[in-house]
Amino acid sequence: MTFTVQPREHWNTTEPLVLRERYYVLTAFAFAGIYFGLSYLSDGFFQDDEIEHFFTAYEFWDNPLSIVTSWSRPGFKIFYVLPALFGIKGMHFAASFIAGGTAYLASLLAREYGVKNRVLALVLCGFQPLFYQLSFRTYAEIIAAFLLVLMLICYQRKRYILAAFISSYLFSVRHELVVLSLVLGVFFLWRREWLAFLMLGWMPVFLNILGWFKTGDQLWVLNAYLMGGKNIGFSKPGFFQYVTAATPIFGVIIIALALAGMFGFFAQPKHTWKARLERYHALYITFLAVLLMNSVLASETLNISSGQGVWRHILTVSPVVAVFAAMGFNMVWSNDARLRFSSFGIMALYSISVLIFFSQEHNYYRLLPAKNYLGFLVLLGFIYTFLVAHKLQWKTRTVLLFTVGLTVLHTIAAEKPLRLSDEGKTIRDVIAFYNESGFRYRVTAAQHPMFYLLAHISDRWDPQYPRTSLEVVRNLPPGAVVIWDSHYTYRPEWSKRDAHLDSLMADRTLKPLRSFRSDDKWFYAIVFEKTAQVP
């Protein structure tokens, strides 16, 4: 049996896949369900920050101004004050649907720019490794990504006042995104869009009024957001942190396609370059501005803010990366030989860099020395399959299904549910001892946020639960319990965390009851009881 390959100009395999809008919406809902299901498989925490975010959202109802801090990010926290009433699972539920909605908005953004096969923008946003891992968790970055896409859609539709309104609001979600307002400000001045220009300032002004009312500081925004936080004590990874970490953050397939989407057009005649950059300038500028700003904040040399180079901070541009990846797919799967050649060339160069530089294990903060070549093998198989698909004239839906399937499977295989850390297990043992000893209704001085969450103590500011400081310990009544831990209790760089273990051990009114040490030997805790008199 033989077959004849038709001339390229007669192929009909690259026709884009078009779906009804309802299927995009249903897919986004399915993603939200997957994310929420993942929350039940993950009993661990990405950072303890998500515990604090739950408590501060819950405590909003007792003190609404409690979320008006630079750390709480009020524009982000206000989304969760109602779900927090249903516990941390209520927040997981809300976060899951926000993440699913962000993936859907990525597909809408692709539609605004006329990107074919926009279903890829949805999937390649929703199944980026770190996006997937954090999808149900209560961090500001995915909400920021949601709002950033809305801003770009409004901008593309020339609804500049609404775009300015959203851009200004983003300052209260992730304050480094003020860079987008600065860029828009220049554009609005150039276009003489005066109302839109003025709208860019509404959120900083509003926040300053709230902060002034709360603290009495008339320059609260300046002092809290721009001048504060430089001496927290965290090390910074360096200016190129997000470039070197892009592979585990966004995924090898998505980065390969996104690079092709960003730069593959250079193979076309030079007179087309200007038209493309004009058409997609907002996507390029947004991505580069956010990347540059976060890189500057992660720079140890510049050290201009408290930014630590945490990987999740760059997730704000996840939808933009997904749209570029959808463009890259269309270039790789194009009838234009020059586009195909340049796109395959870019992916081949990237695969070599993955093999040499980026095939490493990681801990979501840093790349580790241990090697892991799974990503390289997946990318190699992906490129090879595309070459075969071109040769055998696969249809677009077949190649799309392969791309989607491989991306989803690789992400799920690589991103295992986070289990409770050794520190968390130790806190769980402390709580078991605490309950078994009948201490539940005693005055208890503790500091670790995981203690309050796992012990199901929702009101952390009840007088029964003062924070562990030397002054508090001195004034505790007889019979009170003190829980000292090596992570949070003694942090002199933070206010009122001066309870050094040596000081407590030397206090003759405190009786050590039991000590706990984590399996990895990095964390330990001691439970004390306040005695009625000096023994």
Side-chain angles (χ1 to χ4, degrees):
M1 181 177 179
T2 61
F3 64 91
T4 302
V5 177
Q6 295 177 348
R8 184 73 184 184
E9 59 268 18
H10 298 298
W11 286 15
N12 194 34
T13 57
T14 58
E15 286 297 314
L17 178 66
V18 179
L19 300 174
R20 293 182 178 179
E21 197 64 34
R22 73 180 72 146
Y23 294 115
Y24 294 97
V25 176
L26 290 174
T27 302
F29 272 101
F31 283 9
I34 292 171
Y35 301 151
F36 190 55
L38 180 63
S39 74
Y40 283 94
L41 300 176
S42 303
D43 61 356
F45 304 95
F46 186 79
Q47 290 176 291
D48 291 348
D49 286 16
E50 62 195 89
I51 303 174
E52 285 290 341
H53 284 314
F54 162 65
F55 280 118
T56 52
Y58 183 84
E59 291 156 2
F60 167 86
W61 300 101
D62 292 325
N63 178 16
L65 289 178
S66 64
I67 68 171
V68 183
T69 70
S70 60
W71 182 86
S72 286
R73 302 182 185 93
F76 143 70
K77 197 61 61 64
I78 199 67
F79 279 84
Y80 288 111
V81 296
L82 186 59
L85 295 177
F86 298 91
I88 197 166
K89 279 300 173 187
M91 294 182 70
H92 288 168
F93 183 81
S96 298
F97 277 86
I98 291 171
T102 303
Y104 173 67
L105 286 179
S107 74
L108 290 185
L109 183 63
R111 186 181 70 180
E112 288 296 319
Y113 281 96
V115 178
K116 298 183 295 184
N117 301 309
R118 67 184 180 96
V119 67
L120 275 178
L122 191 156
V123 177
L124 300 187
C125 177
F127 277 88
Q128 293 172 15
L130 192 54
F131 187 100
Y132 171 78
Q133 185 65 258
L134 299 186
S135 55
F136 66 89
R137 301 183 185 276
T138 50
Y139 293 105
E141 286 74 21
I142 292 182
I143 285 181
F146 182 95
L147 295 170
L148 186 146
V149 181
L150 278 180
M151 180 200 73
L152 287 172
I153 291 173
C154 292
Y155 176 86
Q156 179 66 8
R157 294 179 179 179
K158 294 182 169 53
R159 297 180 180 177
Y160 296 138
I161 294 177
L162 187 55
F165 179 88
I166 298 171
S167 179
S168 186
Y169 186 89
L170 277 168
F171 176 77
S172 67
V173 180
R174 290 284 336 167
H175 64 273
E176 68 270 15
L177 294 181
V178 70
V179 66
L180 299 179
S181 290
L182 296 176
V183 172
L184 281 175
V186 173
F187 173 79
F188 292 149
L189 285 175
W190 176 58
R191 292 289 300 268
R192 299 184 179 182
E193 297 285 347
W194 309 120
L195 289 179
F197 177 78
L198 293 175
M199 185 63 72
L200 290 171
W202 82 269
M203 179 52 77
V205 172
F206 179 66
L207 279 182
N208 199 70
I209 292 171
L210 290 179
W212 183 10
F213 181 77
K214 178 183 178 180
T215 67
D217 183 358
Q218 297 180 18
L219 299 176
W220 182 80
V221 163
L222 179 65
N223 293 323
Y225 282 84
L226 303 180
M227 303 302 293
K230 292 182 67 174
N231 299 312
I232 294 180
F234 296 111
S235 62
K236 296 191 175 190
F239 183 84
F240 295 102
Q241 160 81 335
Y242 295 104
V243 174
T244 58
T247 297
I249 291 174
F250 299 113
V252 287
I253 295 174
I254 296 166
I255 286 292
L257 290 175
L259 289 173
M262 288 179 182
F263 305 113
F265 71 93
F266 282 115
Q268 293 180 311
K270 290 184 179 181
H271 68 269
T272 65
W273 295 3
K274 181 179 179 182
R276 178 181 173 83
L277 292 174
E278 286 179 352
R279 179 179 177 84
Y280 301 115
H281 70 275
L283 298 181
Y284 283 98
I285 291 173
T286 297
F287 176 80
L288 292 174
V290 174
L291 175 62
L292 181 61
M293 174 60 82
N294 279 283
S295 298
V296 168
L297 294 179
S299 171
E300 189 171 11
T301 303
L302 298 175
N303 194 26
I304 64 171
S305 179
S306 59
Q308 305 158 37
V310 177
W311 285 12
R312 60 181 170 85
H313 292 175
I314 201 65
L315 288 182
T316 53
V317 291
S318 286
V320 177
V321 172
V323 172
F324 275 122
M327 293 180 188
F329 174 91
N330 294 327
M331 291 182 180
V332 175
W333 196 242
S334 169
N335 284 329
D336 188 322
R338 285 176 298 186
L339 274 181
R340 290 200 314 275
F341 180 80
S342 65
S343 300
F344 274 115
I346 289 170
M347 292 200 300
L349 289 173
Y350 171 63
S351 67
I352 294 171
S353 70
V354 170
L355 175 63
I356 298 174
F357 301 111
F358 305 133
S359 292
Q360 295 174 251
E361 296 284 358
H362 64 85
N363 59 5
Y364 296 106
Y365 302 97
R366 303 288 188 272
L367 296 176
L368 304 175
K371 294 294 185 179
N372 184 339
Y373 294 101
L374 177 61
F376 170 73
L377 294 175
V378 168
L379 181 57
L380 198 64
F382 177 74
I383 296 173
Y384 176 77
T385 303
F386 252 85
L387 292 172
V388 172
H390 275 291
K391 182 70 174 177
L392 298 182
Q393 306 176 36
W394 289 7
K395 291 187 176 180
T396 298
R397 65 177 60 229
T398 304
V399 183
L400 276 172
L401 184 61
F402 167 74
T403 303
V404 166
L406 185 60
T407 300
V408 171
L409 289 175
H410 181 221
T411 294
I412 292 176
E415 296 301 314
K416 299 292 192 300
L418 295 182
R419 311 306 301 178
L420 195 62
S421 64
D422 287 341
E423 180 176 333
K425 293 175 182 176
T426 305
I427 289 294
R428 190 172 59 190
D429 293 340
V430 170
I431 293 170
F433 172 76
Y434 178 80
N435 290 331
E436 292 167 2
S437 301
F439 294 154
R440 185 72 185 192
Y441 299 103
R442 294 195 189 185
V443 174
T444 302
Q447 197 75 50
H448 205 296
M450 210 176 293
F451 170 78
Y452 294 98
L453 181 73
L454 299 183
H456 305 291
I457 299 170
S458 58
D459 188 359
R460 299 184 301 168
W461 303 110
D462 187 296
Q464 182 185 347
Y465 301 106
R467 295 300 176 270
T468 307
S469 68
L470 292 179
E471 181 181 358
V472 165
V473 170
R474 281 194 297 267
N475 296 317
L476 288 174
V481 178
V482 176
I483 300 176
W484 187 95
D485 73 82
S486 60
H487 187 169
Y488 287 98
T489 308
Y490 181 68
R491 299 296 292 269
E493 68 271 24
W494 295 340
S495 62
K496 298 183 180 179
R497 298 198 184 186
D498 59 352
H500 195 284
L501 180 59
D502 291 344
S503 301
L504 299 188
M505 296 296 289
D507 188 337
R508 301 181 65 193
T509 67
L510 292 178
K511 176 183 177 182
L513 299 179
R514 185 171 171 181
S515 61
F516 302 81
R517 184 175 289 273
S518 62
D519 290 341
D520 61 8
K521 309 302 181 185
W522 280 98
F523 175 80
Y524 55 101
I526 300 179
V527 179
F528 296 88
E529 182 180 16
K530 184 82 170 183
T531 59
Q533 57 186 3
V534 176

